[in-house]
Amino acid sequence: MRRLRAYFFTGLLTLLPIWLVWIVFKFVLALLSDISQPWVGPVSVRLASAHPEWLGWMDDPWAQSAFAVVGTVLVIIAVGALARRVVGQRLLAWFEGLIARIPLLKTVYGSARKLLDLLQTKPDGTQRVVLIDFPHREMKCVGFVTRVMRENGTGRELAAVYVPTTPNPTSGYLEIVPVDRLTPTDWTVDEAMAFIISGGAVSPDSIPFQRAGDAT
């Protein structure tokens, strides 16, 4: 029984990462497929009906899903290429102006846009990826500085820090932390995201824990 229990846990630890990858892959695959399915489905059915002898396989669900994923990826690439040109930038500005007139969409789109832009740039005087004392002073969490503000009256610098959760970084906490209580790191955003999603398995050999000037 002891050997069977050891085999079970070894197999579980071996299959768990593969299972998590499959869940993420399946979610992304379904998301990409659903975007293009409304127009890919009718086109596939029409082509299969017109030439059943050599295009009949296009009516199968797996073929439609594959075409939908490819179609969505091509659309994303086309939008990215267009956004790098003047015409695309003007269309994007027009779209953002239209969204700005709709209260709820304005809040959602504007917040997401600002967060993505902030994560691509380094805030003035503060490292983007930091460690903060959370949930208490003897523990640290990885966070992303999204903005630096000042406290009313004292003028003390305060940082808005987004603390993502593991393994899903799209949910988390928003903490307001004095800048002098931040522990700076030399991590990039990509390195920090890999650390968070992997539950700490993907990490450097050493990390800072105490701030400069703190007692050892």
Side-chain angles (χ1 to χ4, degrees), residues 40-61:
V40 168
V43 172
S44 299
V45 172
R46 187 172 303 177
L47 291 175
S49 300
H51 306 282
E53 63 282 357
W54 53 285
L55 291 180
W57 56 272
M58 296 182 66
D59 195 18
D60 292 337

Side-chain angles (χ1 to χ4, degrees), residues 9-173:
F9 283 110
T10 301
L12 183 62
L13 294 176
T14 302
L15 292 176
L16 186 58
I18 301 175
W19 178 68
L20 292 175
V21 170
W22 167 248
I23 290 178
V24 174
F25 177 76
K26 185 178 179 181
F27 171 77
V28 174
L29 192 67
L31 181 63
L32 293 176
S33 177
D34 291 342
I35 294 175
S36 298
Q37 192 65 38
W39 62 271
V40 168
V43 172
S44 299
V45 172
R46 187 172 303 177
L47 291 175
S49 300
H51 306 282
E53 63 282 357
W54 53 285
L55 291 180
W57 56 272
M58 296 182 66
D59 195 18
D60 292 337
W62 68 266
Q64 294 186 13
S65 298
F67 288 140
V69 171
V70 173
T72 301
V73 171
L74 291 177
V75 169
I76 293 174
I77 294 175
V79 170
L82 185 62
R84 290 177 172 268
R85 290 171 170 76
V86 177
V87 175
Q89 294 175 357
R90 290 180 178 177
L91 289 174
L92 182 59
W94 174 83
F95 175 76
E96 291 179 343
L98 180 63
I99 292 294
R101 299 179 183 179
I102 306 175
L104 181 59
L105 294 182
K106 173 185 177 181
T107 302
V108 175
Y109 179 83
S111 300
R113 182 74 268 170
K114 288 180 180 178
L115 178 60
L116 291 175
D117 290 341
L118 283 171
L119 291 179
Q120 298 178 22
T121 58
K122 181 179 178 180
D124 295 337
T126 306
Q127 175 65 30
R128 171 66 66 200
V129 182
V130 297
L131 303 180
I132 66 170
D133 300 329
F134 183 80
H136 57 77
R137 296 188 62 177
E138 297 302 320
M139 299 178 68
K140 299 288 187 182
C141 274
V142 178
F144 301 100
V145 176
T146 58
R147 184 169 181 176
V148 176
M149 306 164 287
R150 291 193 177 274
E151 183 181 13
N152 290 336
T154 65
R156 181 175 58 163
E157 286 189 319
L158 304 173
V161 182
Y162 175 65
V163 180
T165 55
T166 300
N168 178 16
T170 60
S171 63
Y173 306 93

